[in-house]
């Protein structure tokens, strides 16, 4: 039995033979944005971790970016306290999306459709011992190859605890419906995504299209957004299997009410938030976060158009499905929704 020390709260969780001890330190509960001002990368180069540097500089004056990040953390913590009444245990599967950079002491929870390909590329540069030098030179499919980056779920219990306690933990989020439409466009309207068409498209058409053609049932390559919404809100869908990670809710992928994230970045402020994290890690000279391509990006206006043909009934059901992501990450109810 581990005896708690003063100033710490321990949450012990046991899942079969898997035992996780999550340590929440009072001084870690302060957000990264509180502690960054006045710090420079030489602190990491001198041997201090990003998290230690945060703690040592917590009294310094805040910048506008730091104040914004602090606000995100405080809102997230308050929303968790308000809406999370039961604590559940963490399993190895819960840690699968947490990517580990042991060199820079970073834990990144990747969320598909929130610049995760570029963040994986960046982490491949940072952890690649010189094998990779330029993020955009890494093919997108290579960034997602299992084994190129280590997941926290691969470590021993003691190693997991140590990293949760001492590494800088960060996640990037996005307006939930904008992310959802981005996932739909990428996985169901691109001709090259035949695996998704076969795996999900055929099932969606079979269940949610009246009198489907034989070709559609075979290929699954012409799923409409309305049919995709019907699939998502159908209770049978999640009874059969979990959502695919591309449309799974962020709170189900990254568990922000169970794992303390020091930085909550947003897609809307991706460049400045990414620069902040890389500087904090002392890595701004090693790698630059790639610039976003705006030509194919799913925008808010584009998202609104996709909802034109969704009835108020299904709009409400879909919003309820993603409601916690809206609340936790402070996204307003979209003006185009008809929820009353």
């Amino acid at each position: 039995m581990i005896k708690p020390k003063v100033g710490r709260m321990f949450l012990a969780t046991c899942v079969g033979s898997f035992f996780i001890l999550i340590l929440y330190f009072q001084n870690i509960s302060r957000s990264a944005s509180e502690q960054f001002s006045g710090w420079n990368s030489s602190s990491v180069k001198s041997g201090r971790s990003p998290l230690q540097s945060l703690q040592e500089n917590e009294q310094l004056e805040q910048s506008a970016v730091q104040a914004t990040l602090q606000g995100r953390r405080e809102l997230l913590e308050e929303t968790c306290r308000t809406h999370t009444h039961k604590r559940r245990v963490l399993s190895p599967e819960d840690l699968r999306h947490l990517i580990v950079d042991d060199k820079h002491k970073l834990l990144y929870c990747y969320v598909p459709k929130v610049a995760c390909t570029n963040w994986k590329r960046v982490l491949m540069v940072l952890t690649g011992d010189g094998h990779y030098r330029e993020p955009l030179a890494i093919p997108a499919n290579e960034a997602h190859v299992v084994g190129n980056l280590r997941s926290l779920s691969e470590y021993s219990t003691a190693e997991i605890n140590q990293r949760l306690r001492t590494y800088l933990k960060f996640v990037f989020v996005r307006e939930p419906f904008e992310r959802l439409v981005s996932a739909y466009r990428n996985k169901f309207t691109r001709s090259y995504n035949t695996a998704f068409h076969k795996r999900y498209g055929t099932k969606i058409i079979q269940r949610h299209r009246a009198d489907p053609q034989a070709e559609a049932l075979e290929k699954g390559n012409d799923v409409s957004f309305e049919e995709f919404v019907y699939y998502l809100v159908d209770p049978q869908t999640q009874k059969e299997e979990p959502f695919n990670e591309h449309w799974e809710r962020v709170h189900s992928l990254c568990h922000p009410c169970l794992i303390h994230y020091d930085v909550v970045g947003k897609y809307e402020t991706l460049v400045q938030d990414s620069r902040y994290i890389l500087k904090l890690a002392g890595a701004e000279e090693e790698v630059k976060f790639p610039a976003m391509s705006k030509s194919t990006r799913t925008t808010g206006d584009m998202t609104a158009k996709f909802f034109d043909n969704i009835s108020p009934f299904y709009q409400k059901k879909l919003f309820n499905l993603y409601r916690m992501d809206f609340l936790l990450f402070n996204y307003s109810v979209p003006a185009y929704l008809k929820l009353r």
Side-chain angles (χ1 to χ4, degrees):
M1 180 176 180
I2 300 175
K3 184 178 180 181
K5 296 181 180 180
V6 176
R8 302 178 182 179
M9 177 177 68
F10 289 77
L11 173 63
T13 64
C14 186
V15 185
S17 61
F18 189 87
F19 183 80
I20 301 176
L21 186 63
I22 308 170
L23 300 90
Y24 291 93
F25 283 72
Q26 288 182 344
N27 57 356
I28 289 178
S29 68
R30 299 185 183 93
S31 71
S33 55
E34 286 182 272
Q35 306 157 351
F36 179 75
S37 181
W39 175 85
N40 60 59
S41 61
S42 63
S43 59
V44 167
K45 293 173 184 176
S46 68
R48 296 195 296 273
S49 73
L51 198 53
Q52 288 171 327
S53 298
L54 292 179
Q55 296 162 5
E56 291 170 9
N57 290 279
E58 63 183 354
Q59 300 301 323
L60 298 177
E61 185 178 351
Q62 289 183 335
S63 69
V65 173
Q66 295 155 338
T68 296
L69 291 169
Q70 179 183 352
R72 291 176 190 169
R73 273 299 318 151
E74 291 175 349
L75 178 82
L76 176 59
E77 291 168 0
E78 178 60 32
T79 307
C80 285
R81 284 193 294 269
T82 303
H83 294 276
T84 304
H85 304 294
K86 292 183 180 179
R87 281 202 177 274
R88 69 167 187 80
V89 296
L90 284 168
S91 70
E93 180 68 15
D94 294 326
L95 305 175
R96 186 173 58 85
H97 273 247
L98 281 159
I99 295 173
V100 182
D101 175 359
D102 283 320
K103 180 180 177 182
H104 299 87
K105 297 189 175 181
L106 299 173
L107 289 177
Y108 162 57
C109 187
Y110 76 89
V111 178
K113 309 312 299 177
V114 193
C116 79
T117 300
N118 279 343
W119 258 111
K120 286 182 179 182
R121 285 166 163 158
V122 166
L123 288 169
M124 287 173 71
V125 172
L126 293 179
T127 62
D129 296 322
H131 183 66
Y132 305 101
R133 295 191 179 276
E134 174 55 46
L136 290 181
I138 302 172
N141 62 329
E142 188 174 342
H144 299 294
V145 171
V146 176
N148 280 344
L149 292 164
R150 292 199 70 182
S151 164
L152 189 60
S153 62
E154 300 172 28
Y155 289 76
S156 71
T157 301
E159 291 170 330
I160 289 170
N161 293 332
Q162 187 267 338
R163 283 159 179 77
L164 285 172
R165 184 173 69 248
T166 62
Y167 283 21
L168 184 83
K169 298 170 289 295
F170 68 99
V171 60
F172 275 81
V173 300
R174 184 177 185 179
E175 201 280 339
F177 284 170
E178 187 177 304
R179 175 177 169 248
L180 186 66
V181 169
S182 178
Y184 166 76
R185 291 179 66 218
N186 180 253
K187 301 307 175 186
F188 294 107
T189 70
R190 304 287 192 265
S191 59
Y192 55 78
N193 266 322
T194 54
F196 268 81
H197 301 162
K198 283 281 190 180
R199 173 74 175 79
Y200 296 101
T202 54
K203 181 186 295 185
I204 292 171
I205 290 170
Q206 183 179 27
R207 286 189 180 174
H208 301 289
R209 182 178 299 178
D211 300 321
Q213 299 294 313
E215 183 179 2
L217 287 171
E218 180 187 355
K219 295 183 177 179
N221 61 353
D222 63 345
V223 172
S224 70
F225 185 67
E226 294 97 313
E227 291 167 337
F228 181 51
V229 170
Y230 300 155
Y231 164 79
L232 292 172
V233 301
D234 182 356
Q236 191 62 30
T237 299
Q238 290 191 81
K239 288 181 182 178
E240 290 185 349
E241 60 181 345
F243 276 166
N244 179 276
E245 63 179 14
H246 290 84
W247 47 84
E248 179 59 280
R249 286 70 54 91
V250 176
H251 74 269
S252 294
L253 293 175
C254 296
H255 313 286
C257 292
L258 294 174
I259 298 171
H260 173 88
Y261 288 96
D262 304 289
V263 178
V264 178
K266 288 197 171 185
Y267 191 77
E268 296 80 5
T269 52
L270 176 64
V271 174
Q272 72 178 31
D273 295 347
S274 298
R275 187 186 302 125
Y276 169 89
I277 292 166
L278 290 174
K279 187 171 184 179
L280 191 60
E284 73 273 29
E285 299 301 323
E286 294 179 62
V287 64
K288 304 296 182 188
F289 193 84
M292 277 197 310
S293 170
K294 295 185 178 180
S295 59
T296 60
R297 177 186 168 186
T298 300
T299 64
D301 289 342
M302 187 185 300
T303 299
K305 288 184 172 63
F306 275 84
F307 277 81
D308 283 347
N309 296 325
I310 307 299
S311 71
F313 175 80
Y314 281 102
Q315 286 185 11
K316 187 171 184 178
K317 289 177 77 72
L318 190 68
F319 178 78
N320 287 338
L321 191 62
Y322 288 86
R323 179 173 175 268
M324 279 305 297
D325 278 1
F326 278 97
L327 289 173
L328 289 168
F329 306 115
N330 197 28
Y331 286 106
S332 302
V333 178
Y336 54 79
L337 290 188
K338 305 176 183 67
L339 300 182
R340 293 184 179 179

